[in-house]
Amino acid sequence: MKQPSIALELRTAWINQAQRSPFIFAGLAGTLLLILAAILLGTLSAINHGNITNLRYALMGGAAGFAATTLGACLAFVLGNISGRRQDSLLGFAAGMMLAASAFSLILPGVEAGEAIFDNRLAAAAVVVAGLGLGVVLMLGLDRFIPHEHEVSGAHGPVFARINRVWLFVLAITLHNIPEGMAIGVGFSAGDMHVGVPLATAISIQDIPEGLAVALALRATGLTHGRAVLVAALSGFMEPLGALIGVGMSSAFAIAYPVSMGLAAGAMIFVVSHEVIPETHRNGHQTPATIGLMLGFGVMMFLDTALG
């Protein structure tokens, strides 16, 4: 008997998953539709008003993240194997920078932008919180419906048994990089370099240890040294694509900007809590990972103050 194709099996699995988790599916579908509509309207608005500069800056910021990921991946050639303790410290450092970037470069500027729109701090905070919720729904839905694999919790999503473990891991990395790129795009969408530059700088800095850690983890899945570095570098390509999504999404309407800031922050915080921190704690290296997280948080605070 002929085995059904992966595409057909995946479609069937998605239908079954949607029936088991109707609220998550509805939330994911609604969030994606809102994002797509905002991207379309924001892009058309930028073209009609000749405001292409912000789009160019966002793509440059995303490209910087891609380059930093590539640099980190290439360091795997130089450093070879590094200890698990050091690797968890590097990932903790990246997690700290992502948390600080979410707070100081996304949530607080989002509240300020909302306050300028509504002239009411309570309403501004509520709008950003709504965006946080959308970010969580987006990442929770992608985690439930896209087949991928994490080192700690194993395989997620439908029909993972028929997909090579290496590519499941690559899909997990891709999901990880989308919110980082979105954050960069949102940061540049208003044309404010005081938000966009520190955020893009921080994300690019934390992409270096992240790219190194990903390349080493891919080697552990069985890839050759060269292929592991190449795949880890290419995973960073999601950042300029995410930046394009972020800048288009937040440029549609005035209120879309603070909502998008909250959405990008919510997605990044979800990734840190759901994936990065559990990964750093799985081998008993909680203390060096936590110290790395605090250092990363402090570095991002400094960058936000010095460059902002």
Side-chain angles (χ1 to χ4, degrees):
M1 182 177 177
K2 185 178 179 181
Q3 193 175 28
S5 67
I6 289 181
L8 179 61
E9 192 174 344
L10 185 60
R11 185 180 66 180
T12 303
W14 273 339
I15 294 173
N16 293 334
Q17 192 83 318
Q19 291 173 344
R20 289 195 299 268
S21 308
F23 294 110
I24 293 177
F25 176 75
L28 174 63
T31 302
L32 288 176
L33 286 174
L34 285 173
I35 289 173
L36 289 174
I39 291 170
L40 178 61
L41 292 172
T43 304
L44 290 175
S45 176
I47 293 174
N48 290 335
H49 293 88
N51 188 16
I52 308 298
T53 303
N54 297 344
L55 180 62
R56 184 167 61 248
Y57 283 144
L59 288 175
M60 290 172 61
F66 173 44
T69 302
T70 302
L71 173 61
C74 290
L75 287 177
F77 278 125
V78 179
L79 298 179
N81 292 319
I82 63 174
S83 66
R85 180 187 179 91
R86 185 169 298 177
Q87 186 172 337
D88 288 340
S89 298
L90 291 173
L91 282 176
F93 181 84
M97 294 201 74
M98 290 174 71
L99 287 175
S102 298
F104 298 107
S105 295
L106 290 172
I107 293 175
L108 292 181
V111 171
E112 291 179 2
E115 193 172 7
I117 296 171
F118 297 105
D119 197 24
N120 184 301
R121 196 163 184 82
L122 182 62
V127 166
V128 175
V129 169
L132 280 168
L134 289 176
V136 172
V137 169
L138 175 65
M139 297 310 297
L140 186 62
L142 292 176
D143 184 71
R144 186 69 60 88
F145 287 94
I146 301 298
H148 60 286
E149 181 168 340
H150 301 298
E151 289 292 321
V152 178
S153 53
H156 293 251
V159 298
F160 54 79
R162 290 188 55 199
I163 302 177
N164 186 282
R165 182 172 180 263
V166 172
W167 295 112
L168 288 174
F169 188 75
V170 171
L171 284 170
I173 299 166
T174 300
L175 294 181
H176 182 119
N177 284 330
I178 290 173
E180 295 179 8
M182 288 173 60
I184 292 173
V186 171
F188 282 109
S189 62
D192 187 355
M193 297 297 103
H194 295 298
V195 174
V197 170
L199 184 57
T201 301
I203 290 177
S204 297
I205 290 174
Q206 67 91 24
D207 277 335
I208 296 174
E210 187 175 272
L212 172 61
V214 167
L216 295 174
L218 283 171
R219 285 189 60 192
T221 65
L223 284 185
T224 63
H225 203 143
R227 290 188 66 187
V229 170
L230 178 62
V231 173
L234 290 177
S235 72
F237 187 68
M238 290 308 301
E239 295 209 16
L241 291 180
L244 182 62
I245 294 172
V247 72
M249 179 177 64
S250 57
S251 301
F253 305 101
I255 194 175
Y257 181 66
V259 171
S260 299
M261 299 285 265
L263 190 152
M268 286 216 296
I269 293 170
F270 182 93
V271 167
V272 170
S273 177
H274 192 65
E275 300 175 19
V276 182
I277 291 178
E279 171 67 22
T280 62
H281 287 204
R282 70 187 178 96
N283 293 317
H285 301 144
Q286 294 91 331
T287 299
T290 301
I291 292 173
L293 185 147
M294 297 305 297
L295 286 172
F297 196 95
V299 168
M300 179 56 209
M301 283 184 62
F302 175 80
L303 287 174
D304 188 71
T305 302
L307 299 179

